[in-house]
């Protein structure tokens, strides 16, 4: 093989692991985790500067770089199997979220199976924000603090150094030292790709007894058996949750994508198809994904209207209009569906009203889903059946996000 053939990398330098932030109502979609995004770009560039030419390793992995609509689980699994170093961004939220803890544990187990005597030597943790809890400070004891760069780093965390211009030089020094350490670990003793445990089957080592709050994703869409005559069956499957509009937009069913987003925000998700619409799904926050073509099925309009009339404020209807298949009937169906939702549903916040009016692209759906999930949680916490309910257990009820910015009534700090 010649040098010009550019062989595929045999692994990657690092995987960035962090706690996803729940959005604020005033935020734009592009602002979510923007400081993490900026830090990853800076760190990846610094690693590129210090890497040895011909190392055979690819750059860092950051889940925000996964192409829109791709299989997020498969991409994360691939990164966990190929990264030489894990870079966790330690914060109170990181130690509280099941997803981040599971990523941490999956990587540690992979290192053990690979014969690494000290798996923690393959971690290059970052103090992203001050770690407040005593038990969490114990986990963060191995964070390289680089006090010589700036005493502000151990006191305030790297995010503060990134955000405040007065600490710009100190931030650059810390990033450079992190990059040097990543390159040294990855190149001096490469482990190579190896299997990693499925994160969904692991407990978080930080809070092994924690149970995720539950979130409902209900789908009102036809199946291949109930599809109206003349409708293109490509977007449908044997069950309602398999509905996949926007054929060029995403690999996964729409419900599967919503599930991934909710899981990042620390929910355990229950997906229910159209055949279960009559069941009681109102004891948890949730969203209802509605295909206007469901209204055209036998009895679909009546079923949807009856379901929506009993819908609590913490379950948000989301009408998704697929115009990409150019079926002339969709305009009238979308209008009829929107009228059913408007007539049957109580007044809601602007984000929820926008979703009820109709989403017409996968990009718009991706942008809105985190906001809808957080809005459903907020409504449940404010008005849901949390007192004296038979389902009022740690497993069944949602918990306030560990990110203080997402607590109802709490203002953002930026």
């Amino acid at each position: 093989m010649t040098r010009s053939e550019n062989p595929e990398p045999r692994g990657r330098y690092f995987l960035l692991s962090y706690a996803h932030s729940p959005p604020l109502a005033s935020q734009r979609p592009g602002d979510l985790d923007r400081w993490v995004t900026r830090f990853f770009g800076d760190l990846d560039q610094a690693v590129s500067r210090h890497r040895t030419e011909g190392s055979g390793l690819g750059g860092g992995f950051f889940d925000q770089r996964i192409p829109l609509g791709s299989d997020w689980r498969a991409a994360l699994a691939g990164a966990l199997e190929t990264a030489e170093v894990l870079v966790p961004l330690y914060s109170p939220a990181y130690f509280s979220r099941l997803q981040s803890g599971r990523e941490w544990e999956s990587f540690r187990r992979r290192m053990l199976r690979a014969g690494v005597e000290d798996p923690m030597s393959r971690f290059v943790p970052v103090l992203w924000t001050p770690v407040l809890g005593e038990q969490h400070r114990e986990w963060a004891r191995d964070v390289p603090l680089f006090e010589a760069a700036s005493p502000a780093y151990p006191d305030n965390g790297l995010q503060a150094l990134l955000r405040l211009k007065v600490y710009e030089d100190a931030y650059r020094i810390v990033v450079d030292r992190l990059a040097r350490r990543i390159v040294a670990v990855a190149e001096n003793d490469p482990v190579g790709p190896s299997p990693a445990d499925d994160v969904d089957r692991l407990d978080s080592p930080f809070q092994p007894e924690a149970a995720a709050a539950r979130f409902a994703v209900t789908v009102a869409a036809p199946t291949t058996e109930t599809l109206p005559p003349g409708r293109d069956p490509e977007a449908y499957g044997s069950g309602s949750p398999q509905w996949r509009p926007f054929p060029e937009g995403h690999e996964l069913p729409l419900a599967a994508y919503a599930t991934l987003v909710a899981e990042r925000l620390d929910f355990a998700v229950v997906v229910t198809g159209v055949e279960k619409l009559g069941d009681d799904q109102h004891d948890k926050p949730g969203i209802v994904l509605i295909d206007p073509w469901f209204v055209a099925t036998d009895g679909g309009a009546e079923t949807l209207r009856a379901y929506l009339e009993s819908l609590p404020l913490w379950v948000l209807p989301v009408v998704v209009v697929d115009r990409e298949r150019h079926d002339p009937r969709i305009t009238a169906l979308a209008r009829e569906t929107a009228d059913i939702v408007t007539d049957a549903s109580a007044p809601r916040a602007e984000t929820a009203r926008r979703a009820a009016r109709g989403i017409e692209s996968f990009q718009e759906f991706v942008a809105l889903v985190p906001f809808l999930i957080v809005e459903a949680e907020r409504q449940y916490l404010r008005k849901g059946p949390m007192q004296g309910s038979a389902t009022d257990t740690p497993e069944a009820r949602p918990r306030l996000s560990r990110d203080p910015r997402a607590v109802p009534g709490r203002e953002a700090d930026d």
Side-chain angles (χ1 to χ4, degrees):
M1 179 178 292
T2 64
R3 290 180 181 271
S4 62
E5 288 178 318
N6 294 324
E8 287 293 317
R10 63 172 181 265
R12 62 178 69 252
Y13 277 96
F14 70 96
L15 162 63
L16 188 69
S17 177
Y18 67 105
H20 291 76
S21 300
L24 294 166
S26 59
Q27 273 185 304
R28 297 186 303 271
D31 287 342
L32 298 181
D33 293 310
R34 60 180 172 135
W35 300 111
V36 179
T37 301
R38 283 184 55 180
F39 167 67
F40 172 81
D42 293 339
L43 182 63
D44 202 36
Q45 288 181 9
V47 166
S48 182
R49 288 195 302 269
H50 293 300
R51 64 182 296 176
T52 301
E53 186 176 356
S55 69
L57 294 173
F61 177 90
F62 175 47
D63 62 10
Q64 298 289 348
R65 299 285 178 89
I66 299 173
L68 192 66
S70 298
D71 188 334
W72 182 86
R73 275 197 180 88
L76 175 61
L80 284 166
E81 292 177 349
T82 56
E84 292 288 338
V85 174
L86 188 76
V87 180
L89 302 190
Y90 285 166
S91 66
Y94 190 89
F95 290 114
S96 299
R97 297 280 172 79
L98 289 175
Q99 181 66 34
S100 50
R102 287 165 172 169
E103 292 172 11
W104 193 100
E105 180 64 8
S106 177
F107 185 83
R108 185 190 72 85
R109 292 189 181 198
R110 175 182 156 226
M111 293 298 106
L112 282 173
R113 281 199 302 272
V116 176
E117 186 174 344
D118 178 16
M120 294 308 300
S121 67
R122 314 297 301 196
F123 288 71
V124 179
V126 173
L127 186 66
W128 188 238
T129 61
V131 178
L132 304 178
E134 185 62 39
Q135 73 277 23
H136 297 157
R137 286 200 294 271
E138 179 66 18
W139 282 103
R141 67 185 183 278
D142 295 327
V143 174
L145 295 178
F146 309 122
E147 286 91 341
S150 172
Y153 175 40
D155 290 342
N156 300 287
L158 193 61
Q159 183 186 163
L161 271 62
L162 168 59
R163 296 174 63 170
L164 300 175
K165 190 170 181 59
V166 67
Y167 293 120
E168 182 176 358
D169 291 342
Y171 167 75
R172 296 293 177 189
I173 293 172
V174 172
V175 170
D176 188 75
R177 294 184 182 180
L178 289 168
R180 289 177 184 272
R181 182 166 296 199
I182 291 169
V183 170
V185 171
E187 293 185 1
N188 293 343
D189 188 20
V191 173
S194 59
D197 289 340
D198 183 352
V199 294
D200 292 336
R201 299 180 180 273
L202 299 177
D203 290 328
S204 168
F206 311 130
Q207 288 190 321
E209 76 290 350
R214 293 194 300 161
F215 190 89
V217 176
T218 304
V219 184
T223 67
T224 49
E225 292 185 358
T226 63
L227 202 61
R231 175 61 175 158
D232 184 355
E234 182 184 0
Y236 302 92
S238 58
S240 299
Q242 293 176 284
W243 174 42
R244 190 176 67 86
F246 317 123
E248 304 302 323
H250 55 111
E251 299 176 13
L252 301 175
L254 216 58
Y257 188 85
T259 296
L260 291 174
V261 176
E263 287 176 345
R264 291 182 185 181
L265 298 177
D266 214 25
F267 284 101
V269 181
V270 179
V271 178
T272 308
V274 64
E275 64 278 5
K276 300 289 186 180
L277 276 178
D279 291 357
D280 184 9
Q281 295 289 314
H282 299 168
D283 62 343
K284 61 185 76 66
I287 57 176
V288 184
L289 305 179
I290 304 170
D291 179 5
W293 285 96
F294 178 65
V295 174
T297 62
D298 186 22
E302 293 76 13
T303 300
L304 182 62
R305 184 176 289 106
Y307 178 74
L308 293 177
E309 284 176 351
S310 65
L311 207 63
L313 289 172
W314 53 86
V315 181
L316 308 180
V318 184
V319 178
V320 181
V321 183
D322 175 11
R323 298 186 186 275
E324 294 187 18
R325 289 179 174 80
H326 308 293
D327 192 313
R329 294 173 290 176
I330 188 60
T331 299
L333 285 172
R335 186 182 303 113
E336 182 180 357
T337 304
D339 289 343
I340 291 174
V341 172
T342 301
D343 293 342
S345 301
R348 301 174 188 273
E350 173 54 32
T351 300
R353 292 200 300 271
R354 177 179 169 188
R357 288 194 297 267
I359 293 173
E360 298 192 3
S361 71
F362 183 64
Q363 290 74 14
E364 187 179 5
F365 179 78
V366 168
L368 276 181
V369 164
F371 293 86
L372 294 170
I373 291 170
V374 170
E375 176 62 21
E377 180 190 28
R378 285 174 176 155
Q379 292 299 329
Y380 186 91
L381 293 174
R382 290 169 177 165
K383 301 174 183 179
M386 297 182 65
Q387 301 298 326
S389 169
T391 60
D392 191 11
T393 66
E395 293 78 18
R397 63 187 290 184
R399 299 160 295 176
L400 282 170
S401 168
R402 277 78 174 184
D403 185 336
R405 302 184 312 153
V407 176
R410 183 69 175 266
E411 295 297 326
D413 56 359
D414 59 359

